[in-house]
Amino acid sequence: MLGLPKGEVFLVTWTEDWPKEFLLEKDRIQSEIGQYVVGIHHIGSTAVKGLKAKPIIDIAVEIKDFNDGKHCIAPLESLGYSYRGINILPDRHYFNKAEPRTHQIHMYQKGNKFLVEQLKFRNYLRSNDNAKMEYEELKIKLSKVNKHNKHKYADEKTDFISSVLAKL
């Protein structure tokens, strides 16, 4: 299952379909903007096997130069993405796809600290079952109390994420 209606927060059980969907989308993105791309990464909870997640595929697109992002807007719009600008999240071009949202692209310049942190956190959860379970319990709790506030849901995960990153 993919798709999260605007303004809602809920989690679903991880599925093998998510990495497959990421790979399909990665190929589509690469074919449209490959000349600007350094790497395309599956990030977020759908990238961690067995972790409950909001049903949205988060994709980090690493580009050579941040200003190249403006050249990627029209090609990604041809794939169904909507460009949301650079003011939504720090140091990134942000795109989302469909309503309900099925995919999000976070486009960073190569080496961006937010990208590096996302990859470190993802990799830590992939290799540490205890941390993954603890994070899932937190996400379940927060999704129940923030069903209609995605920003509060995300903000309240920050302390856990920061504590993990501090160890790495």
Side-chain angles (χ1 to χ4, degrees):
M1 175 199 162
L2 274 183
L4 185 68
K6 189 174 186 118
E8 291 188 32
V9 176
F10 62 85
L11 305 177
V12 298
T13 302
W14 188 88
T15 171
E16 294 281 348
D17 293 338
W18 291 343
K20 292 174 189 171
E21 181 60 34
F22 163 74
L23 291 173
L24 289 171
E25 203 66 12
K26 177 182 177 181
D27 288 344
R28 291 181 190 115
I29 293 165
Q30 184 70 37
S31 71
E32 289 296 322
I33 62 168
Q35 69 267 34
Y36 304 107
V37 171
V38 174
I40 301 175
H41 312 277
H42 190 182
I43 59 171
S45 294
T46 62
V48 180
K49 185 175 184 174
L51 182 60
K52 287 186 178 188
K54 294 180 295 176
I56 302 173
I57 305 296
D58 281 294
I59 302 167
V61 176
E62 192 174 6
I63 56 176
K64 298 169 191 163
D65 183 281
F66 190 75
N67 293 321
D68 287 340
K70 65 183 178 247
H71 302 298
C72 300
I73 296 169
L76 291 174
E77 286 177 340
S78 76
L79 295 177
Y81 285 92
S82 297
Y83 182 59
R84 300 299 183 197
I86 58 173
N87 298 323
I88 305 282
L89 297 163
D91 296 336
R92 71 190 90 179
H93 295 274
Y94 176 69
F95 301 78
N96 61 25
K97 185 175 188 176
E99 184 54 49
R101 286 173 297 140
T102 58
H103 300 76
Q104 300 180 125
I105 292 176
H106 308 268
M107 185 177 286
Y108 302 93
Q109 181 169 314
K110 180 181 188 232
N112 176 283
K113 82 171 197 132
F114 296 108
L115 171 62
V116 170
E117 287 175 351
Q118 289 215 0
L119 295 174
K120 283 182 178 180
F121 184 69
R122 178 204 65 191
N123 293 343
Y124 184 77
L125 292 180
R126 283 178 170 177
S127 65
N128 187 313
D129 285 339
N130 288 336
K132 180 171 68 175
M133 288 186 329
E134 187 179 345
Y135 187 54
E136 182 174 90
E137 289 170 10
L138 174 64
K139 286 166 47 93
I140 291 168
K141 178 182 137 196
L142 294 176
S143 70
K144 288 177 181 174
V145 297
N146 297 299
K147 288 181 182 184
H148 302 289
N149 191 337
K150 70 177 182 176
H151 299 293
K152 191 171 181 199
Y153 168 80
D155 288 346
E156 291 183 357
K157 295 186 302 180
T158 302
D159 287 344
F160 180 87
I161 295 166
S162 296
S163 72
V164 167
L165 291 172
K167 296 182 221 176
L168 305 179

